[in-house]
Amino acid sequence: MTRPVPSPVSATLLSRIALASIIANVGIVVTGGAVRLTASGLGCPTWPRCTDESYTTTPEMGVYGVIEFGNRLLTFVVGLIALATLLAVLLHRPRRPGLLPLGIAVFLGIPAQAVVGGITVLTNLNPWVVGLHFLASMAVIAAAYALWRRTKEPDGPTVPVVPAPLRALARLTTLVSVAVLVIGTWVTGSGPHAGDHGAARNGLDPATISQVHADSVFLLVGLSVALVFAFRAVGATGPARAALVLVAVELGQGLIGFVQYATNLPALLVGAHMLGSCLVLLATLSVQWSTRERRPALPADPGATDVDAGAARVVGDDETGRRPERAAPLTTGRP
């Protein structure tokens, strides 16, 4: 019997590299916020060069140029980590085709996000484009999170672990969470931290749009609390725990938001709020992921009928590797 060729990249290493990609993409959001909060958004006044004559900052540009150019360099670091993740996916054995699209999406998302960042500079920090730049980073983080979670799962079919109405409630919560992020960019575009002292604002009334943002947060928290109790009611302990973490993150983020609004938006708190936005997104995705599980694929059985094959896709294997006699009821979750 031929011995299997050992994988150049272990499953543990693959998962760790994918996790590093999440951390790096969250980090670039925070450093990008530092660029805006220090009014260094036009420290390099053009793109892709830093000046019309140079790709790098010059002494005459001072600290603003250093901050903006430093953030551009960090984009290459994040891109290298994304490339390492993609290579790890390709080198891992046995090959897992389901990971490849996500790895490609994260890798290509980095230059796409950088291009949007360049457009923000070329449009003199147009607040709508700045908001799009932030949301592009959120999309890359979501793809990186999906890749990381998939590295920790088998390659079989997905099976819901909570009833359909609760899965719908989780999807609604995810949509509201995304809406909160979008409205948050409108608040930012109306506020004082434009990224440059001469940059335009979006024209929205800061008090009014901040109230809209707060109302959307109240809705999100209410839905998240409802998920905690609903998951507990059906015995879904894993999803309930994920929803409870989401509520805790939302309350922390909400506290930062209220304090920063009451204290005239100090830069340090605004930066913490940007980090909190990333954590809210990740916690929301965790809840969504917890409503289903992916079970190991069953080996092919030449003697199985079409009915048997269909049942196998629904039921899957239990944790001992034996085929259970019936599917687990959807009213009980597994942590």
Coordinates of all heavy atoms in Angstrom, one line a residue, residues 242-299:
A242 N -22.5 32.2 21.4 CA -22.1 33.2 20.4 C -22.9 34.4 20.4 O -22.4 35.5 20.3 CB -22.1 32.5 19.0
A243 N -24.2 34.3 20.6 CA -25.1 35.5 20.6 C -24.8 36.3 21.9 O -24.9 37.6 21.8 CB -26.5 35.1 20.6
L244 N -24.5 35.7 23.0 CA -24.2 36.4 24.2 C -22.9 37.2 24.0 O -22.8 38.3 24.5 CB -24.0 35.4 25.4 CG -23.9 36.0 26.8 CD1 -25.1 36.8 27.1 CD2 -23.7 34.9 27.8
V245 N -21.9 36.6 23.4 CA -20.7 37.4 23.1 C -21.0 38.6 22.2 O -20.4 39.7 22.4 CB -19.6 36.4 22.4 CG1 -18.4 37.2 21.9 CG2 -19.2 35.3 23.3
L246 N -21.9 38.4 21.2 CA -22.2 39.5 20.4 C -22.9 40.6 21.2 O -22.5 41.8 21.0 CB -23.2 39.0 19.3 CG -23.8 40.1 18.4 CD1 -22.7 40.9 17.6 CD2 -24.8 39.5 17.4
V247 N -23.8 40.3 22.1 CA -24.4 41.3 22.9 C -23.3 42.1 23.7 O -23.4 43.3 23.8 CB -25.4 40.7 23.8 CG1 -26.0 41.7 24.9 CG2 -26.6 40.1 23.0
A248 N -22.4 41.3 24.3 CA -21.3 42.0 25.1 C -20.5 42.9 24.3 O -20.2 44.0 24.7 CB -20.4 40.9 25.7
V249 N -20.1 42.5 23.1 CA -19.4 43.4 22.2 C -20.2 44.6 21.8 O -19.6 45.7 21.8 CB -18.9 42.6 20.9 CG1 -18.3 43.5 19.9 CG2 -17.9 41.5 21.3
E250 N -21.4 44.4 21.5 CA -22.3 45.5 21.1 C -22.4 46.6 22.3 O -22.4 47.8 22.0 CB -23.7 45.0 20.7 CG -23.7 44.3 19.4 CD -25.0 43.5 19.2 OE1 -25.8 43.4 20.2 OE2 -25.2 43.0 18.1
L251 N -22.6 46.1 23.5 CA -22.7 47.0 24.6 C -21.4 47.8 24.8 O -21.5 49.0 25.1 CB -23.1 46.2 25.9 CG -24.5 45.6 25.9 CD1 -24.7 44.7 27.2 CD2 -25.6 46.6 25.7
G252 N -20.3 47.1 24.7 CA -19.0 47.8 24.8 C -18.8 48.8 23.7 O -18.4 50.0 24.0
Q253 N -19.2 48.5 22.5 CA -19.1 49.4 21.4 C -20.1 50.6 21.6 O -19.8 51.7 21.3 CB -19.4 48.6 20.1 CG -19.5 49.5 18.8 CD -18.2 50.0 18.3 OE1 -17.2 50.1 19.1 NE2 -18.1 50.3 17.1
G254 N -21.3 50.3 22.0 CA -22.3 51.3 22.3 C -21.8 52.3 23.3 O -22.0 53.5 23.2
L255 N -21.2 51.8 24.4 CA -20.7 52.6 25.5 C -19.6 53.6 24.9 O -19.6 54.8 25.2 CB -20.1 51.8 26.6 CG -19.4 52.5 27.8 CD1 -20.5 53.4 28.4 CD2 -18.8 51.6 28.7
I256 N -18.7 53.1 24.1 CA -17.7 53.9 23.5 C -18.3 55.0 22.6 O -17.9 56.2 22.6 CB -16.7 53.1 22.7 CG1 -15.9 52.1 23.6 CG2 -15.7 54.0 21.9 CD1 -15.0 51.2 22.8
G257 N -19.4 54.6 21.9 CA -20.0 55.5 21.0 C -20.7 56.6 21.7 O -20.6 57.8 21.3
F258 N -21.4 56.3 22.8 CA -22.0 57.4 23.6 C -21.0 58.3 24.3 O -21.2 59.5 24.3 CB -23.0 56.7 24.6 CG -24.3 56.3 24.1 CD1 -24.7 55.0 24.1 CD2 -25.2 57.2 23.6 CE1 -25.9 54.6 23.6 CE2 -26.4 56.9 23.1 CZ -26.8 55.5 23.1
V259 N -20.0 57.7 24.8 CA -19.0 58.6 25.5 C -18.3 59.5 24.5 O -18.0 60.7 24.7 CB -17.9 57.7 26.2 CG1 -16.8 58.5 26.8 CG2 -18.6 56.9 27.4
Q260 N -17.9 59.0 23.3 CA -17.2 59.8 22.3 C -18.1 60.9 21.8 O -17.7 62.0 21.6 CB -16.7 59.0 21.2 CG -17.8 58.4 20.2 CD -17.2 57.8 18.9 OE1 -16.0 57.7 18.8 NE2 -18.1 57.5 18.0
Y261 N -19.4 60.6 21.7 CA -20.4 61.7 21.3 C -20.5 62.7 22.3 O -20.6 63.9 22.0 CB -21.7 61.0 21.0 CG -22.8 62.0 20.4 CD1 -22.7 62.4 19.0 CD2 -23.8 62.6 21.2 CE1 -23.6 63.3 18.5 CE2 -24.7 63.5 20.7 CZ -24.6 63.8 19.3 OH -25.5 64.7 18.8
A262 N -20.6 62.3 23.6 CA -20.7 63.3 24.7 C -19.5 64.1 25.0 O -19.6 65.2 25.6 CB -21.2 62.6 26.0
T263 N -18.3 63.6 24.5 CA -17.1 64.3 24.8 C -16.5 64.9 23.5 O -15.3 65.1 23.4 CB -16.1 63.3 25.4 OG1 -15.9 62.2 24.5 CG2 -16.5 62.9 26.8
N264 N -17.4 65.2 22.5 CA -16.9 65.9 21.3 C -15.9 65.1 20.5 O -15.0 65.7 19.9 CB -16.4 67.3 21.6 CG -17.5 68.2 22.2 OD1 -18.6 68.2 21.7 ND2 -17.2 68.9 23.2
L265 N -16.1 63.8 20.4 CA -15.3 62.9 19.5 C -13.8 63.0 19.7 O -13.1 63.3 18.7 CB -15.7 63.2 18.1 CG -17.2 63.1 17.7 CD1 -17.5 63.5 16.3 CD2 -17.7 61.7 18.0
P266 N -13.3 62.7 20.8 CA -11.8 62.7 20.9 C -11.2 61.6 20.1 O -11.8 60.5 19.9 CB -11.6 62.4 22.4 CG -12.8 61.7 22.9 CD -13.9 62.3 22.1
A267 N -10.1 61.8 19.5 CA -9.5 60.9 18.5 C -9.3 59.5 19.0 O -9.5 58.5 18.3 CB -8.2 61.5 17.9
L268 N -8.8 59.4 20.2 CA -8.5 58.1 20.8 C -9.8 57.2 20.9 O -9.8 56.0 20.5 CB -7.9 58.3 22.2 CG -7.0 57.1 22.6 CD1 -5.9 56.9 21.6 CD2 -6.5 57.4 24.0
L269 N -10.9 57.8 21.3 CA -12.1 57.1 21.4 C -12.7 56.7 20.0 O -13.3 55.7 19.8 CB -13.2 57.8 22.2 CG -13.0 57.9 23.7 CD1 -14.1 58.7 24.4 CD2 -12.9 56.4 24.3
V270 N -12.5 57.6 19.1 CA -13.0 57.3 17.7 C -12.2 56.1 17.1 O -12.8 55.3 16.5 CB -12.8 58.6 16.8 CG1 -13.2 58.2 15.4 CG2 -13.7 59.7 17.3
G271 N -10.9 56.1 17.4 CA -10.1 55.0 17.0 C -10.6 53.7 17.6 O -10.6 52.6 17.0
A272 N -10.9 53.7 18.9 CA -11.4 52.5 19.6 C -12.7 52.1 19.0 O -13.0 50.9 19.0 CB -11.5 52.8 21.1
H273 N -13.5 53.1 18.6 CA -14.8 52.8 18.0 C -14.7 52.1 16.7 O -15.4 51.2 16.4 CB -15.6 54.1 17.9 CG -17.1 53.8 17.7 ND1 -17.9 53.2 18.7 CD2 -18.0 54.2 16.8 CE1 -19.1 53.2 18.3 NE2 -19.2 53.7 17.1
M274 N -13.6 52.4 15.9 CA -13.4 51.7 14.7 C -13.0 50.3 14.9 O -13.4 49.4 14.2 CB -12.3 52.5 13.9 CG -12.7 53.9 13.4 SD -11.5 54.6 12.3 CE -11.5 53.5 10.9
L275 N -12.1 50.1 15.9 CA -11.8 48.7 16.3 C -13.0 47.9 16.7 O -13.2 46.8 16.3 CB -10.7 48.7 17.4 CG -10.4 47.4 18.0 CD1 -9.8 46.4 17.0 CD2 -9.4 47.5 19.2
G276 N -13.9 48.6 17.5 CA -15.1 48.0 17.9 C -16.0 47.6 16.8 O -16.7 46.5 16.8
S277 N -16.0 48.4 15.7 CA -16.8 48.0 14.5 C -16.4 46.7 13.9 O -17.2 45.9 13.5 CB -16.7 49.1 13.5 OG -17.2 50.3 14.0
C278 N -15.0 46.5 13.9 CA -14.5 45.2 13.4 C -14.9 44.1 14.3 O -15.3 43.0 13.8 CB -13.0 45.3 13.3 SG -12.3 46.5 12.2
L279 N -14.9 44.3 15.6 CA -15.3 43.2 16.5 C -16.7 42.9 16.5 O -17.1 41.7 16.6 CB -14.9 43.6 17.9 CG -13.4 43.9 18.2 CD1 -13.1 44.3 19.6 CD2 -12.6 42.6 17.8
V280 N -17.6 43.9 16.2 CA -19.0 43.7 16.1 C -19.3 42.8 14.8 O -20.1 41.9 14.9 CB -19.8 45.0 16.0 CG1 -21.2 44.7 15.5 CG2 -19.8 45.7 17.3
L281 N -18.6 43.1 13.7 CA -18.7 42.3 12.5 C -18.3 40.9 12.8 O -19.0 40.0 12.4 CB -17.9 42.9 11.4 CG -17.8 42.1 10.1 CD1 -19.2 42.0 9.5 CD2 -16.8 42.7 9.1
L282 N -17.2 40.7 13.4 CA -16.7 39.3 13.6 C -17.6 38.6 14.6 O -17.9 37.4 14.3 CB -15.3 39.4 14.2 CG -14.2 39.9 13.3 CD1 -12.9 40.1 14.0 CD2 -14.0 38.9 12.1
A283 N -18.1 39.2 15.6 CA -19.1 38.6 16.5 C -20.4 38.2 15.8 O -21.0 37.2 16.1 CB -19.3 39.4 17.7
T284 N -20.8 39.1 14.9 CA -22.0 38.8 14.1 C -21.9 37.6 13.3 O -22.7 36.7 13.2 CB -22.4 40.0 13.3 OG1 -22.6 41.2 14.1 CG2 -23.7 39.8 12.5
L285 N -20.7 37.5 12.6 CA -20.4 36.4 11.7 C -20.3 35.1 12.5 O -20.7 34.0 12.0 CB -19.1 36.6 10.9 CG -19.2 37.8 9.9 CD1 -17.8 38.0 9.4 CD2 -20.1 37.5 8.8
S286 N -19.8 35.2 13.7 CA -19.7 34.0 14.6 C -21.1 33.5 14.9 O -21.3 32.3 14.9 CB -19.0 34.4 15.9 OG -19.0 33.3 16.8
V287 N -22.1 34.4 15.2 CA -23.4 33.9 15.4 C -24.0 33.2 14.2 O -24.6 32.2 14.3 CB -24.3 35.1 15.9 CG1 -25.8 34.7 15.9 CG2 -23.9 35.6 17.2
Q288 N -23.8 33.9 13.0 CA -24.3 33.3 11.8 C -23.7 31.9 11.5 O -24.4 31.0 11.1 CB -24.0 34.2 10.6 CG -24.7 33.9 9.3 CD -26.2 34.0 9.4 OE1 -26.7 35.0 9.7 NE2 -26.9 32.9 9.1
W289 N -22.5 31.8 11.8 CA -21.8 30.5 11.6 C -22.3 29.4 12.5 O -22.3 28.3 12.2 CB -20.3 30.7 11.7 CG -19.5 30.0 10.7 CD1 -18.9 28.7 10.8 CD2 -19.1 30.4 9.4 NE1 -18.3 28.4 9.7 CE2 -18.4 29.4 8.8 CE3 -19.3 31.6 8.7 CZ2 -17.8 29.5 7.5 CZ3 -18.8 31.7 7.4 CH2 -18.1 30.6 6.8
S290 N -22.6 29.9 13.7 CA -23.0 28.9 14.8 C -24.4 28.2 14.5 O -24.7 27.2 15.2 CB -23.1 29.6 16.1 OG -24.2 30.4 16.3
T291 N -25.2 28.8 13.6 CA -26.5 28.2 13.3 C -26.5 27.0 12.5 O -27.5 26.4 12.2 CB -27.4 29.3 12.7 OG1 -26.9 29.6 11.4 CG2 -27.6 30.5 13.6
R292 N -25.3 26.6 12.0 CA -25.2 25.4 11.2 C -23.8 24.7 11.5 O -22.9 25.4 12.0 CB -25.4 25.7 9.7 CG -24.2 25.9 8.9 CD -23.4 27.1 9.1 NE -22.3 27.1 8.1 CZ -21.1 26.6 8.3 NH1 -20.9 25.9 9.4 NH2 -20.2 26.6 7.4
E293 N -23.7 23.5 11.1 CA -22.4 22.8 11.3 C -22.2 22.0 10.0 O -23.1 21.7 9.3 CB -22.4 21.9 12.5 CG -23.4 20.7 12.4 CD -23.3 19.8 13.6 OE1 -22.7 20.2 14.6 OE2 -23.9 18.7 13.5
R294 N -20.9 21.8 9.7 CA -20.5 21.1 8.5 C -20.0 19.7 9.0 O -19.0 19.7 9.8 CB -19.4 21.8 7.7 CG -19.2 21.2 6.4 CD -18.1 22.0 5.6 NE -18.6 23.4 5.3 CZ -19.3 23.7 4.2 NH1 -19.5 22.8 3.3 NH2 -19.7 24.9 4.0
R295 N -20.5 18.6 8.5 CA -20.2 17.3 9.0 C -19.3 16.6 8.0 O -19.2 17.0 6.8 CB -21.5 16.5 9.2 CG -22.3 17.0 10.3 CD -23.6 16.2 10.5 NE -24.3 16.7 11.7 CZ -25.5 16.3 12.0 NH1 -26.1 15.3 11.3 NH2 -26.2 16.8 13.1
P296 N -18.5 15.6 8.5 CA -17.6 15.0 7.6 C -18.3 14.3 6.4 O -19.4 13.8 6.6 CB -16.9 13.9 8.5 CG -17.1 14.4 9.8 CD -18.4 15.2 9.8
A297 N -17.7 14.3 5.2 CA -18.3 13.7 4.1 C -18.2 12.1 4.2 O -17.2 11.6 4.7 CB -17.5 14.1 2.8
L298 N -19.3 11.4 3.9 CA -19.3 10.0 4.0 C -18.5 9.4 2.8 O -18.6 9.9 1.7 CB -20.7 9.5 4.0 CG -21.6 9.8 5.2 CD1 -23.0 9.3 5.0 CD2 -21.0 9.2 6.5
P299 N -17.8 8.3 3.0 CA -17.2 7.6 1.9 C -18.2 7.1 0.9 O -19.3 6.7 1.3 CB -16.4 6.5 2.6 CG -17.0 6.3 3.9 CD -17.6 7.6 4.3

